[in-house]
Amino acid sequence: MYQRAAEDNGVKYTTLYNGIKKLKTPEGEWIPQKVFTFNSKYTVNQVFNQVQESLLVEYIIKCSKINYGLTCKQITKLAYDYSLKSHIKMPKAWSENCIAVAQYLLEFPNETFKSDGHVLLCVACGQSVSCLQRSLITQHINTSKHKENKVRKIKFNQNFITSSSLNSKSTFDTDLCRTLIKADIPLTKLKNPTFKMFLEKYTGQAVPEESTLRKNYVEVNYNETLSKIRDIIGNGPIWVSVDETTDVDGRYIANCVVGKLNSEPSKPIVLSCGELTKCNHQTIARFFNDAMSLLWPQGIHHENVLLFLSDGAPYMVKAGKVLTTFYPKMLHLTCIAHGFHRVAETVRAQFPLVDSLIATIKKVFLKAPSRVLKFKELYPNLCLPPEPIITRWGTWLAAVKYYSNNFEKIKDVISNLDSDNAISIAKVKDIIQNNELKNNLAYILANFCFLVEVIKKVETSNLTLVISLEIVENAANTLSEVQGESGVIIKNKLNDVLAKNVGLQNIKTIRNILLNTNENNGSMDIEFAPSDISNMKYAPLTSVDVERSFSRYKSILRPNRRTFKFENLQMYIVSNCFEDDCNEDE
């Protein structure tokens, strides 16, 4: 009977038999008024019954509809509180966990732990810590991540208390403004609600408006930067580099970069950025003097300015002559890298056929995706032809090197292009067929392309004066061995550039003294003290640092940031370019 009933209801015979057996006495009699419920075997450790569970589920769903719902930890706490208030029997671990949390808070008072009575939270790390075993907590405390976060949290709290009690300006606002400027993040990004919410969530601070930072804190950071620069430079001695450019708004912009001269290498520092009414020797000299007044507001140390670097423009040379009247020990040196670039420009002028090839191929692939695709299909591992910029030092010679090394491949690509598609394609095909082109490329590659590496070497930071001059003299000796009519013209150009560099001879004399050689030791035009000569050990020979500051200037003044007032832009540039060691708080 039982077997047939089990088969009809889809239940195992043994399960049905054992269930019925529980409803009967050992004698086989039915137990009267016995209510029996068949449950799953997994309900042995169940805390809530089905009604209580349905009430909890209904409440949790209702919370999710009203707001954003409850987290897993909040649901766990809700279940514990519900069972506690309803006097429902619960696992011992639930109660023991709450007791353990309280004990751990008392046991580790110096740690950044907090609790809502159920979960132990590490505030420094922003995560919960398991309370199942004490070893898990001590393991978390001993991790390097927790130690670093704890130190950072304590330091932040100390800085906040100190700043709020002593300063009228908010330290958080000052640090936020400095961070945005250093990272070149526009202050207007604070208007982005997501970014602002993120900062407020993880800093616990009220984020100011963009106008508040611009009006009240940009100048504060600028003054702090100037104070740090004055501390680094002290009374000198220093070298100064000044150059001028024209920005996208047509303004004449001059930048001044300074560095301390001593027996150890020092970092170049952007001291000033100014707008010139016109570009001549008078405005440059005035800008130079204003920059020195900014560095030494209590009085300019005229005798501690030992070196002035600029390009070889006539107005810069004239400004150098004017300034030596007020700065008696100052040597004026025109940029060596710029001089080699002028030699490279002479090479370009001597070989118009090669220059035409480079310029025309640049046009062939400019905004021509189908031709670029054809190039990649034929030679997938070869990069596209370089696009030299005349004002960037050495890029034309680098392009010559590329075409010399890949001439046959470039010729093959051009031959696969249709001359009817563009005039530039037909023109470059005619140029490539000229036999003189190969000869010119070979001659330039053999005799002048080494200037690319020379320019890169002299641009390197922290070179000693001895090494820098060795690079220059080796390059001059290499060029002096070049044969041919063009070689003579280019050698004469280099000699002319070096001869016009009036401060170079004095620099060589200082080098000889540092090397303890007897050559030309008595021919200096300026009387340097022994300490001044020693401090020239790491004197730079190029104005590349001020050129790099212009690159930073143009990057900051990008098309979507043209509303900068120049007085704010000046302060922004100086603060952005200044690089401290970031070890002040360590």
Side-chain angles (χ1 to χ4, degrees):
M1 180 178 65
Y2 294 153
Q3 187 173 1
R4 183 175 180 181
E7 291 177 356
D8 292 343
N9 292 278
V11 181
K12 286 185 178 182
Y13 168 75
T14 53
T15 302
L16 180 60
Y17 176 79
N18 291 332
I20 294 174
K21 189 176 180 181
K22 293 178 181 179
L23 295 176
K24 289 185 177 183
T25 62
E27 292 79 16
E29 299 291 334
W30 291 95
I31 301 173
Q33 299 179 350
K34 172 76 174 180
V35 178
F36 185 82
T37 305
F38 292 97
N39 294 317
S40 169
K41 64 181 179 181
Y42 299 107
T43 60
V44 176
N45 296 324
Q46 185 171 339
V47 177
F48 303 110
N49 58 35
Q50 292 183 353
V51 176
Q52 292 166 337
E53 278 193 4
S54 62
L55 289 174
L56 272 175
V57 170
E58 183 180 348
Y59 180 78
I60 293 169
I61 294 173
K62 185 176 181 181
C63 289
S64 67
K65 291 180 179 178
I66 293 174
N67 206 329
Y68 295 102
L70 303 177
T71 63
C72 293
K73 293 179 181 178
Q74 290 172 332
I75 292 174
T76 302
K77 184 176 183 300
L78 174 65
Y80 173 79
D81 292 338
Y82 181 50
S83 61
L84 194 65
K85 293 292 183 181
S86 302
H87 304 288
I88 300 172
K89 184 180 178 180
M90 68 184 79
K92 289 183 179 180
W94 290 19
S95 301
E96 290 174 355
N97 189 52
C98 294
I99 297 171
V101 168
Q103 290 177 343
Y104 291 142
L105 288 174
L106 294 174
E107 187 177 352
F108 303 103
N110 296 327
E111 298 299 330
T112 56
F113 288 143
K114 285 186 177 182
S115 174
D116 59 354
H118 306 278
V119 178
L120 189 65
L121 177 69
C122 179
V123 178
C125 300
Q127 67 182 50
S128 61
V129 183
S130 175
C131 301
L132 295 178
Q133 295 179 3
R134 184 179 181 278
S135 61
L136 295 176
I137 298 176
T138 56
Q139 183 180 359
H140 174 80
I141 291 172
N142 292 327
T143 59
S144 58
K145 178 183 177 182
H146 173 79
K147 292 177 181 178
E148 292 173 2
N149 291 338
K150 179 183 175 182
V151 171
R152 190 181 297 112
K153 184 72 176 178
I154 293 172
K155 191 178 295 182
F156 173 78
N157 291 336
Q158 289 175 346
N159 291 339
F160 178 75
I161 293 171
T162 303
S163 62
S164 60
S165 57
L166 298 179
N167 301 331
S168 59
K169 297 288 186 183
S170 166
T171 300
F172 173 76
D173 292 356
T174 304
D175 290 344
L176 176 62
C177 183
R178 183 189 304 113
T179 301
L180 294 176
I181 291 175
K182 291 277 190 182
D184 193 19
I185 300 174
L187 302 183
T188 52
K189 293 296 182 183
L190 293 178
K191 295 179 180 180
N192 185 299
T194 303
F195 183 53
K196 188 173 183 179
M197 190 190 316
F198 172 83
L199 291 175
E200 290 177 342
K201 178 180 178 181
Y202 289 101
T203 62
Q205 302 286 334
V207 176
E209 296 296 326
E210 170 266 338
S211 58
T212 302
L213 293 186
R214 177 168 41 81
K215 294 176 181 177
N216 302 328
Y217 291 95
V218 170
E219 187 174 0
V220 169
N221 277 286
Y222 171 70
N223 290 330
E224 286 182 0
T225 302
L226 281 182
S227 179
K228 291 178 182 178
I229 293 173
R230 289 166 183 153
D231 291 340
I232 293 171
I233 298 298
N235 292 332
I238 64 170
W239 59 267
V240 183
S241 181
V242 174
D243 201 359
E244 174 272 338
T245 189
T246 304
D247 68 6
V248 291
D249 294 327
R251 294 175 294 208
Y252 296 113
I253 304 299
N255 280 3
C256 177
V257 176
V258 298
K260 191 165 185 177
L261 290 169
N262 51 40
S263 57
E264 298 293 332
S266 61
K267 291 182 178 180
I269 300 170
V270 178
L271 174 64
S272 177
C273 174
E275 181 181 5
L276 307 178
T277 54
K278 58 178 71 174
C279 190
N280 56 36
H281 73 282
Q282 293 177 336
T283 55
I284 292 295
R286 189 180 303 116
F287 174 75
F288 182 102
N289 206 53
D290 291 343
M292 295 302 99
S293 299
L294 188 66
L295 178 62
W296 292 309
Q298 304 301 325
I300 300 175
H301 300 278
H302 293 86
E303 293 190 353
N304 289 344
V305 182
L306 302 185
L307 181 62
F308 171 42
L309 291 160
S310 70
D311 59 23
Y315 63 88
M316 283 291 185
V317 175
K318 193 171 183 180
K321 291 180 181 178
V322 172
L323 288 169
T324 52
T325 307
F326 303 99
Y327 299 87
K329 288 188 176 182
M330 188 180 77
L331 297 174
H332 181 208
L333 184 70
T334 57
C335 176
I336 295 296
H338 185 257
F340 280 118
H341 174 67
R342 292 170 63 190
V343 174
E345 283 296 282
T346 304
V347 176
R348 184 171 71 91
Q350 289 297 308
F351 299 94
L353 188 63
V354 176
D355 188 35
S356 179
L357 171 74
I358 295 173
T360 308
I361 291 184
K362 182 178 178 180
K363 295 177 183 178
V364 168
F365 293 102
L366 183 65
K367 296 181 181 180
S370 60
R371 298 171 199 161
V372 172
L373 181 61
K374 187 68 175 178
F375 185 100
K376 289 298 182 183
E377 287 177 354
L378 293 172
Y379 299 99
N381 297 324
L382 180 64
C383 61
L384 287 171
E387 299 179 2
I389 300 173
I390 302 305
T391 55
R392 291 192 179 177
W393 303 337
T395 55
W396 189 85
L397 286 176
V400 172
K401 187 175 182 180
Y402 171 89
Y403 286 107
S404 299
N405 294 332
N406 303 285
F407 183 79
E408 295 300 330
K409 294 179 181 179
I410 297 298
K411 183 177 180 180
D412 183 35
V413 172
I414 296 299
S415 65
N416 280 277
L417 300 179
D418 189 356
S419 302
D420 296 333
N421 288 341
I423 297 176
S424 58
I425 297 176
K427 183 178 179 181
V428 78
K429 285 185 177 181
D430 292 338
I431 295 173
I432 288 178
Q433 296 302 322
N434 193 328
N435 291 328
E436 186 182 353
L437 178 64
K438 282 186 178 182
N439 300 336
N440 289 346
L441 287 172
Y443 183 76
I444 298 172
L445 180 64
N447 296 296
F448 306 116
C449 281
F450 77 96
L451 290 176
V452 177
E453 294 301 321
V454 170
I455 292 173
K456 287 182 180 179
K457 287 179 181 179
V458 295
E459 287 178 346
T460 306
S461 301
N462 299 331
L463 287 179
T464 62
L465 186 63
V466 173
I467 294 176
S468 297
L469 283 175
E470 182 181 359
I471 294 170
V472 174
E473 291 172 347
N474 289 341
N477 292 335
T478 303
L479 282 179
S480 66
E481 297 173 358
V482 177
Q483 302 298 317
E485 182 179 347
S486 297
V488 172
I489 294 173
I490 292 163
K491 282 187 289 185
N492 292 337
K493 178 63 178 180
L494 177 63
N495 294 333
D496 183 54
V497 168
L498 296 179
K500 288 182 178 179
N501 201 341
V502 292
L504 186 59
Q505 187 58 47
N506 287 328
I507 292 292
K508 288 182 178 180
T509 303
I510 293 172
R511 185 272 310 271
N512 294 334
I513 295 173
L514 292 174
L515 290 176
N516 195 25
T517 61
N518 296 323
E519 184 181 356
N520 296 329
N521 284 354
S523 62
M524 282 189 65
D525 298 331
I526 299 172
E527 289 296 330
F528 270 26
S531 60
D532 295 332
I533 295 175
S534 174
N535 288 329
M536 293 290 284
K537 181 179 179 180
Y538 284 92
L541 299 186
T542 68
S543 60
V544 65
D545 294 307
V546 74
E547 297 291 345
R548 288 169 180 155
S549 72
F550 285 136
S551 298
R552 189 80 68 92
Y553 177 94
K554 292 174 182 177
S555 173
I556 290 171
L557 199 65
R558 44 191 178 268
N560 60 344
R561 300 182 73 181
R562 298 287 172 77
T563 57
F564 254 120
K565 289 185 177 179
F566 191 75
E567 54 268 25
N568 288 335
L569 182 58
Q570 287 176 299
M571 296 186 287
Y572 194 100
I573 291 292
V574 173
S575 300
N576 175 267
C577 292
F578 179 72
E579 297 179 2
D580 51 10
D581 294 331
C582 300
N583 293 327
E584 301 172 11
D585 300 329
E586 294 183 3

